[in-house]
């Protein structure tokens, strides 16, 4: 086969079930969003939005509301507690019971001194916020019916709440309701539910209810100023801008409507303005990050939009990387789900008697097959998982334990043997098998919730033992990770292991001599992907602001190519809205770096010259849309003549160093097999996500 041809395994058997977004909270370039499986995702919005941390979900209760308070995250739900989270251990830190059962809403005052929760039984519970904890303060008078929504006035002296058929204004000092506003009904026998509420500095109360009405009230006089029927069904969420001049509303009718505050005739009015149709199903939550609107709901996509200028970015509900691992020696894929693992055998192409060309399909001599499905005990959340390069060991971690299995495959039979980890091992956030050298035992590297590393020898015949622990004490203070370790990779000879945290600390360890080898210079943005080149000890790191560096580990310095690359990054590359998910290399082309994000594959050829920064990136075609479980597809990198042709057709110059492909929609993984010339793409089709969604709101359309 031609050296410039690659065989791509386009797989679509990763069946990701989308989980609806229930609530969102934004503060200081960090977005917290909860999903229907009660998991909480912490997104970093500083440069390119991406999942920074994931707090596993619980089977008990639900998460109905989230709030930030000076870097601390709180939630409440049907379990009846206000929960604070440890953002380094990624687990609940403390919980505080609310008065009388389940809670539906949560809000913090502007001074961040008090927290209010609205409950099922009609109580508003107030908590004082201290440096390390919450302290119960008081409850307001009990009202009839549950409290579905609440909001603080900027003075901190008043709280407004929404419930069935009524809005109440509460005096925080006395604990009594000072005003009650009644809502109308569409049907005499059907209650009107106030799903969301907001209040401005001049005491204008804004509500969204089950009639589809967005209402504006004079909170001082208790009178209705105006109401707009902007939606055909329930209004579930409102979002008021910081300057209180714009308002967004959405709900079961997924159209997002903008209201603008204008002055006319000496009085302020809220005028309905533009609308956005960017979701297909119910919108459950809205938040503002400066000029950008964040929205999410039942369709599970996080959408970031702005106007003017009109811009939209949609982020699919893909699991946090790494969700796919590859066993190179056995050509197998490990797919991680919330409570289970799948091991798949890749298909094999039949020999072809014809000359292969780009963009052709190959017949399969062996179909892809699922070899193993491993379910977690008691449906515990699987935090991380890995498979050994030879495919003989599978390991995963839950919130409480680490499980290691010996996966025996011989003569068409499969056996699974559970191994007992050392007593010192409890749980971890990330894990990775170190490449074996010779006939020694396999080694497993674990990143613990305390931001330390544990190295254990894995053996199916002898008891496993903890070989070494990397922390401040064992490295004389050199190994000082300040946050969760989220990236790990090792060199092909098994000597070096690199780890990185969210504070931009990138450290290389010598796992054979148990020494700290080198710490990379700290960068302003944190890394989103790193990988060793299997052909040499060069490490590539991609950061959230799209900077890419290449580091020569043995010589402890950046390569000359890295310095040139930082000065010649294309503008098109820097303007991307997605972060790099994974980096890989093909052994036949060691000088080509392959990167990918949610939908685009990029290549960087170190042997080619740099183009001008404003030059467009070359697009190379990897074929037409293929069917489910498609066979490997040969793909050919564009030659110089093809690049010139594409450049001429596009009307501009093309970048010779960078290349890109937009063949895939939602790309969970793109990696290379160690045999060379074969790549594996794990795609989650948008249609496959859509089949899990409930029906959307029916709208009568003309002619339908």
């Amino acid at each position: 086969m031609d050296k410039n041809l690659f065989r791509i395994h386009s797989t679509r058997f990763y069946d990701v079930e989308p989980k609806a977004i229930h609530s969102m909270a934004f503060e200081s370039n960090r977005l917290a969003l909860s999903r229907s499986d009660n998991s909480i995702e912490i997104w970093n919005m500083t440069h390119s939005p991406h999942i920074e941390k994931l707090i596993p979900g619980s089977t008990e209760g639900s998460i109905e509301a989230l709030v930030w308070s000076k870097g601390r995250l709180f939630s409440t739900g049907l379990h009846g507690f206000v929960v604070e989270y440890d953002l380094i251990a990624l687990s609940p830190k403390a919980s505080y019971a609310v008065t009388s059962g389940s809670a539906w809403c949560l809000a913090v005052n502007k001074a961040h001194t008090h927290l209010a929760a609205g409950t099922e039984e009609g109580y508003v519970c107030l908590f004082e916020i201290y440096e390390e904890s919450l302290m119960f303060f008081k409850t307001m008078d009990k009202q009839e019916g549950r409290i579905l929504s609440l909001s603080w006035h900027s003075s901190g002296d008043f709280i407004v709440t929404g419930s069935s058929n009524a809005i109440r204004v509460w005096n925080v000092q006395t604990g009594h309701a000072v005003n009650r506003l009644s809502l109308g009904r569409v049907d005499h026998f059907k209650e009107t539910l106030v799903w969301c509420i907001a209040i401005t500095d001049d005491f204008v109360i804004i509500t969204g209810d089950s009639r589809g009405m967005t209402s504006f009230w004079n909170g001082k006089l208790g009178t209705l100023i105006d109401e707009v029927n902007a939606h055909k069904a329930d209004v579930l969420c409102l979002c008021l801008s910081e300057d209180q001049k714009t308002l967004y509303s959405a709900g079961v009718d997924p159209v997002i409507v903008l209201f603008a505050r204008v002055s006319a005739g000496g009085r302020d009015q809220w005028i309905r303005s533009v609308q956005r149709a960017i979701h297909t199903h119910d919108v459950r939550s809205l938040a503002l990050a400066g000029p950008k609107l964040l929205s999410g709901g039942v369709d599970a996509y996080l959408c970031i939009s702005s106007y003017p200028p009109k811009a939209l970015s949609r982020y699919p509900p893909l699991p946090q990387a790494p969700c796919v691992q590859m066993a190179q020696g056995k050509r197998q894929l490990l797919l991680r789900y919330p409570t289970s693992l799948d091991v798949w055998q890749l298909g094999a192409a039949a020999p072809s008697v014809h000359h292969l060309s780009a963009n052709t399909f190959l017949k399969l001599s062996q179909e892809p097959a699922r070899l193993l499905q491993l379910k977690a005990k008691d449906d515990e959340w699987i935090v991380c998982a890995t498979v050994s390069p030879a495919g003989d060991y599978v390991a995963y971690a839950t919130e409480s334990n680490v499980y290691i299995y010996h996966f025996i495959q011989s003569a068409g039979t499969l056996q699974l043997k559970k191994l007992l980890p050392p007593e010192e091992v409890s749980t971890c956030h990330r894990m990775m098998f170190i490449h074996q050298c010779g006939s020694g035992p396999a080694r497993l590297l674990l990143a613990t919730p305390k931001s330390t590393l544990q190295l254990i020898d894995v053996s199916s015949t002898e008891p496993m033992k903890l070989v070494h622990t990397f922390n401040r004490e064992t490295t004389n203070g050199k190994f000082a990770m300040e946050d969760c370790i989220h990236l790990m990779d090792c060199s092909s000879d098994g000597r070096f292991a690199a780890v990185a945290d969210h504070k931009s600390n990138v450290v290389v360890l010598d796992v054979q001599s148990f020494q700290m080898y080198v710490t990379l210079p700290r960068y302003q943005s944190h890394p989103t992907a790193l990988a060793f080149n299997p052909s040499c000890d060069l490490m590539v790191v991609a950061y959230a602001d799209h900077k890419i560096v290449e580091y020569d580990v043995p010589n402890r310095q950046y390569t000359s190519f890295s310095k040139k690359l930082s000065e010649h990054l294309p503008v098109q590359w820097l303007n991307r809205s997605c972060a790099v998910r994974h980096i890989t290399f093909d052994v036949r082309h060691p000088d080509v770096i392959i990167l990918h994000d949610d939908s685009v594959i990029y290549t960087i050829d170190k042997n080619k010259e740099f183009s001008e920064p404003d030059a467009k990136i070359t697009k190379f075609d990897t074929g037409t849309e293929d069917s489910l479980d498609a066979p490997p597809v040969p793909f050919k990198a564009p030659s110089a003549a093809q690049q010139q042709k594409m450049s001429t057709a596009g009307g501009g110059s093309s970048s010779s160093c960078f290349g890109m492909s937009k063949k895939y929609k939602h790309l969970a993984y793109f990696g290379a097999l160690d045999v060379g010339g074969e790549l594996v793409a794990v795609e989650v089709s948008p249609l496959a996500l859509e089949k899990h969604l409930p029906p959307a709101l029916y709208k009568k359309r003309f002619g339908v």
Side-chain angles (χ1 to χ4, degrees), residues 565-591:
L565 181 63
S566 62
E567 300 173 356
H568 295 85
L569 287 173
V571 175
Q572 185 179 349
W573 168 268
L574 296 175
N575 290 337
R576 294 163 48 247
S577 60
C578 296
V580 173
R581 285 180 64 94
H582 182 66
I583 303 172
T584 190
F585 300 88
D586 180 67
V587 294
R588 299 189 310 168
H589 302 83
D591 291 332

Coordinates of all heavy atoms in Angstrom, one line a residue, residues 565-591:
L565 N 6.7 27.1 15.5 CA 5.3 26.8 15.4 C 4.5 27.9 16.2 O 3.4 28.4 15.8 CB 4.9 25.4 16.0 CG 3.5 25.0 15.9 CD1 2.9 25.0 14.5 CD2 3.3 23.7 16.6
S566 N 5.0 28.3 17.4 CA 4.3 29.3 18.2 C 4.2 30.6 17.5 O 3.3 31.4 17.8 CB 5.0 29.4 19.5 OG 6.3 29.9 19.4
E567 N 5.1 30.9 16.6 CA 5.1 32.1 15.8 C 4.3 32.1 14.5 O 4.1 33.1 13.9 CB 6.5 32.6 15.5 CG 7.4 32.7 16.8 CD 8.9 33.0 16.4 OE1 9.2 32.9 15.2 OE2 9.7 33.2 17.3
H568 N 3.9 30.9 14.1 CA 3.3 30.8 12.8 C 2.0 30.0 12.9 O 1.5 29.4 11.9 CB 4.2 30.0 11.8 CG 5.5 30.7 11.5 ND1 6.6 30.7 12.2 CD2 5.8 31.6 10.4 CE1 7.6 31.4 11.7 NE2 7.1 32.0 10.6
L569 N 1.3 30.0 14.0 CA 0.0 29.4 14.1 C -1.0 30.1 13.2 O -1.1 31.3 13.3 CB -0.5 29.3 15.6 CG 0.2 28.3 16.5 CD1 -0.2 28.5 17.9 CD2 0.0 26.9 16.0
P570 N -1.7 29.4 12.4 CA -2.7 30.1 11.5 C -3.8 30.8 12.3 O -4.2 30.3 13.4 CB -3.3 28.9 10.6 CG -2.3 27.9 10.7 CD -1.7 28.0 12.1
V571 N -4.3 31.9 11.8 CA -5.4 32.6 12.5 C -6.7 31.7 12.5 O -7.4 31.7 13.5 CB -5.7 33.9 11.7 CG1 -7.0 34.6 12.3 CG2 -4.5 34.8 11.7
Q572 N -6.9 30.9 11.5 CA -8.0 29.9 11.4 C -7.9 28.9 12.6 O -8.9 28.5 13.2 CB -8.0 29.2 10.1 CG -9.2 28.3 9.9 CD -9.3 27.7 8.5 OE1 -8.5 28.0 7.7 NE2 -10.2 26.7 8.4
W573 N -6.7 28.5 12.9 CA -6.5 27.6 14.0 C -6.8 28.3 15.4 O -7.4 27.7 16.2 CB -5.1 27.0 14.0 CG -4.6 26.3 15.2 CD1 -4.0 26.8 16.3 CD2 -4.8 24.9 15.5 NE1 -3.8 25.9 17.3 CE2 -4.3 24.7 16.8 CE3 -5.4 23.9 14.8 CZ2 -4.3 23.4 17.4 CZ3 -5.5 22.6 15.4 CH2 -4.9 22.4 16.7
L574 N -6.3 29.5 15.5 CA -6.5 30.2 16.8 C -7.9 30.6 17.0 O -8.3 30.9 18.2 CB -5.6 31.5 16.8 CG -4.1 31.2 16.8 CD1 -3.3 32.5 16.6 CD2 -3.6 30.4 18.0
N575 N -8.7 30.7 16.0 CA -10.1 31.2 16.1 C -11.1 30.0 16.3 O -12.3 30.2 16.3 CB -10.5 32.0 14.9 CG -9.9 33.3 14.8 OD1 -9.4 33.9 15.8 ND2 -9.8 33.9 13.6
R576 N -10.6 28.8 16.5 CA -11.4 27.7 16.7 C -12.2 27.8 18.0 O -11.7 28.4 19.0 CB -10.6 26.4 16.7 CG -10.0 26.0 15.4 CD -8.9 25.0 15.5 NE -9.3 23.9 16.3 CZ -8.7 23.6 17.5 NH1 -7.8 24.4 18.0 NH2 -9.1 22.5 18.2
S577 N -13.4 27.2 18.1 CA -14.2 27.3 19.3 C -14.1 26.0 20.2 O -14.7 26.0 21.2 CB -15.7 27.5 18.9 OG -16.2 26.5 18.1
C578 N -13.4 25.0 19.7 CA -13.3 23.7 20.4 C -11.8 23.5 20.8 O -10.9 23.8 20.1 CB -13.8 22.6 19.6 SG -15.6 22.6 19.2
A579 N -11.7 22.8 22.0 CA -10.3 22.5 22.4 C -9.9 21.1 21.9 O -10.8 20.3 21.5 CB -10.3 22.4 24.0
V580 N -8.6 20.8 21.8 CA -8.1 19.6 21.3 C -8.4 18.5 22.3 O -8.2 18.6 23.5 CB -6.6 19.6 21.1 CG1 -6.0 18.3 20.8 CG2 -6.3 20.6 20.0
R581 N -9.0 17.4 21.9 CA -9.4 16.2 22.8 C -8.3 15.2 22.9 O -8.1 14.6 23.9 CB -10.6 15.5 22.3 CG -11.9 16.3 22.5 CD -13.1 15.5 21.9 NE -13.3 14.3 22.6 CZ -14.1 14.1 23.6 NH1 -14.8 15.1 24.1 NH2 -14.3 12.9 24.2
H582 N -7.5 15.0 21.8 CA -6.6 13.9 21.8 C -5.5 14.2 20.7 O -5.7 14.8 19.7 CB -7.3 12.6 21.5 CG -6.4 11.4 21.5 ND1 -5.8 10.9 22.6 CD2 -6.0 10.5 20.5 CE1 -5.1 9.8 22.3 NE2 -5.2 9.6 21.1
I583 N -4.3 13.7 21.0 CA -3.1 13.8 20.1 C -2.6 12.4 19.8 O -2.5 11.5 20.7 CB -2.0 14.6 20.7 CG1 -2.5 16.0 21.0 CG2 -0.8 14.8 19.7 CD1 -1.5 16.9 21.8
T584 N -2.3 12.1 18.5 CA -1.8 10.8 18.2 C -0.7 10.9 17.1 O -0.6 12.0 16.5 CB -2.9 9.8 17.7 OG1 -2.4 8.5 17.6 CG2 -3.5 10.3 16.4
F585 N 0.0 9.8 16.8 CA 1.1 9.7 15.8 C 1.0 8.4 15.0 O 0.6 7.4 15.6 CB 2.4 9.8 16.5 CG 2.7 11.1 17.3 CD1 2.3 11.2 18.6 CD2 3.3 12.2 16.7 CE1 2.5 12.3 19.4 CE2 3.5 13.4 17.4 CZ 3.1 13.4 18.8
D586 N 1.4 8.5 13.8 CA 1.5 7.3 13.0 C 3.0 7.0 12.9 O 3.8 7.8 12.5 CB 0.9 7.5 11.6 CG 1.0 6.3 10.7 OD1 0.3 5.3 11.0 OD2 1.8 6.3 9.7
V587 N 3.3 5.7 13.1 CA 4.7 5.3 13.2 C 5.4 5.4 11.8 O 6.6 5.6 11.7 CB 4.9 3.9 13.7 CG1 4.5 3.8 15.1 CG2 4.1 2.9 12.8
R588 N 4.7 5.4 10.7 CA 5.3 5.6 9.4 C 5.6 7.0 9.1 O 6.4 7.3 8.2 CB 4.3 5.0 8.3 CG 4.0 3.6 8.4 CD 3.2 3.1 7.2 NE 2.1 4.0 6.9 CZ 1.4 4.0 5.8 NH1 1.7 3.1 4.8 NH2 0.4 4.8 5.6
H589 N 4.9 7.9 9.8 CA 5.2 9.4 9.6 C 5.4 10.0 11.0 O 4.6 10.7 11.5 CB 4.0 10.0 8.9 CG 3.6 9.4 7.6 ND1 2.8 8.3 7.5 CD2 3.9 9.8 6.3 CE1 2.7 8.0 6.2 NE2 3.3 8.9 5.5
P590 N 6.6 9.8 11.6 CA 6.9 10.3 12.9 C 6.9 11.8 13.0 O 6.8 12.4 14.1 CB 8.2 9.7 13.2 CG 8.9 9.4 11.9 CD 7.7 9.0 11.0
D591 N 7.0 12.5 11.8 CA 7.1 14.0 11.9 C 5.7 14.6 11.6 O 5.6 15.8 11.4 CB 8.1 14.4 10.8 CG 9.5 14.1 11.1 OD1 9.8 14.0 12.3 OD2 10.3 13.9 10.2

